[in-house]
Amino acid sequence: MKVQYHGAASIIIHTKQNTKILCDPWFDTPAFLGSWVPFPRPIFDFDQPIDYIYISHVHSDHLDPATLSRFSKDTAVLIYDFESAFLYKKLKSLGFTKVFKLKNGEYFRIDDDTVVKIYGPTELHASLAKQDVIDTSLLVKDDESTVLNFNDNIYELRSEVLQKIKEENPKID
């Protein structure tokens, strides 16, 4: 596998079969009421084929309608199966026709050699911070490599989720 950085939390994970997973594309629109901008502005070839888009959560530097509008609406989108359907409904309203909601740690095959899993909150407690409820992480695994994209979620995952990831994947590249 190969990981290609495009700025902020935006990366492309290339599998052995060259399936491309674009994570959290945010390339030009100011976020958080204009207080954040991608700098330097990422250079991204929108003509390259993208097989999957992974959206980790609803913050505007991860879910950017302007950037997403530049992709084919037939591109498959991977999201966590949140109790709230907000993210799913937002992607459908943007015209995406193939939105896959994955439960915590559920296997999803993206090509002959590669599976992905999305990890998020396992249960909602009133004591959890809001951040813990919305952030997710993506694991991409084949017979040679394991890539774990925490984006900005490394400290927000619940300890039992982190332990499960570690037990199931003792070697993360």
Side-chain angles (χ1 to χ4, degrees), residues 1-3 11 13 138-141 145-149 172-173:
M1 268 187 271
K2 177 177 118 180
V3 176
I11 62 171
I13 301 170
L138 178 73
L139 183 117
V140 183
K141 185 174 188 165
S145 304
T146 302
V147 172
L148 182 59
N149 176 11
I172 297 175
D173 299 293

Side-chain angles (χ1 to χ4, degrees), residues 68-128:
L68 290 172
S69 72
R70 300 187 62 185
F71 292 96
S72 166
K73 300 310 175 251
D74 291 329
T75 305
V77 182
L78 303 169
I79 63 171
Y80 185 78
D81 187 11
F82 287 104
E83 187 173 316
S84 165
F86 177 82
L87 179 55
Y88 177 80
K89 288 179 180 178
K90 182 65 176 179
L91 291 163
K92 291 301 245 180
S93 76
L94 294 173
F96 287 94
T97 59
K98 295 185 258 184
V99 180
F100 296 95
K101 298 187 290 183
L102 304 181
K103 299 204 177 300
N104 191 62
E106 175 185 355
Y107 275 97
F108 184 85
R109 183 159 299 283
I110 61 167
D111 63 34
D112 290 340
D113 296 320
T114 313
V115 296
V116 300
K117 290 183 174 188
I118 298 177
Y119 293 96
T122 54
E123 49 186 278
L124 182 60
H125 292 288
S127 64
L128 295 177

Side-chain angles (χ1 to χ4, degrees), residues 17 24 34 42 46 68 110 134 141 145 164:
Q17 292 189 9
D24 292 327
F46 284 94
L68 290 172
I110 61 167
I134 67 166
K141 185 174 188 165
S145 304
K164 179 180 179 181

